[in-house]
Amino acid sequence: MPLPVLVGISGATGVIYAVELLRALKQLGQPVHLIVSEMGARTLAIETDLSLDDLRGLADVTYSNKDLAAAVSGGSFRTAGMVVAPCSVKTLSGIANSFSVNLMIRAADVTLKERRPLVLLFRETPLHAGHLRLMLRATEMGAVIMPPLPAFYTRPQTIGEIVQQTVGRALDHLGIEHQLIARWSGA
């Protein structure tokens, strides 16, 4: 059985990235452990027709973001890595400053300290110097900052194809094999 992927959903716009990531992981037979912040749940309700129960149904295990004693809060609980999709400024700040005020940030901190992949789909624009410093700090600690920006060399026709490209690239950073995206083969 493969190690679980930890998925965190914070309150930034772009919850569709998490939904499609969860769907892809389920289709690949990859175990998933899920943490949804309070604002992540609100964003889900604002941006989709899905309920929190629908989202939980895409995961094998779901944790309360308030449960700092959950299994994923300890380094001896092994995972394949973590993706925070979308990643808000608040969550990025907590991760970059090792301020484990909730389970999502604690789990990200554990992921970094255990040298496992941490992919942050940071959702903010435009950026000021503080955002850039936080991204640099998180990168220096080992995180991959991956703003969900579309790749147009694939000539996407739908929003779903644009989202799928980002999901596929996030899976690449976790080392999970998939056939979700077209690979660049040169011009």
Side-chain angles (χ1 to χ4, degrees), residues 5 21 25 80-83 117-119 169-176:
V5 170
L21 175 63
L25 290 166
M82 181 175 184
V83 178
L118 174 63
V119 180
R169 294 293 290 134
L171 293 175
D172 287 350
H173 284 282
L174 294 174
I176 296 174

Side-chain angles (χ1 to χ4, degrees), residues 2-40:
L3 293 173
V5 170
L6 186 54
V7 175
I9 301 175
S10 71
T13 188
V15 73
I16 190 65
Y17 291 104
V19 171
E20 292 305 318
L21 175 63
L22 290 168
R23 287 177 176 156
L25 290 166
K26 189 168 193 75
Q27 185 176 32
L28 292 167
Q30 177 69 47
V32 176
H33 290 214
L34 177 65
I35 304 167
V36 182
S37 73
E38 185 177 305
M39 287 306 299

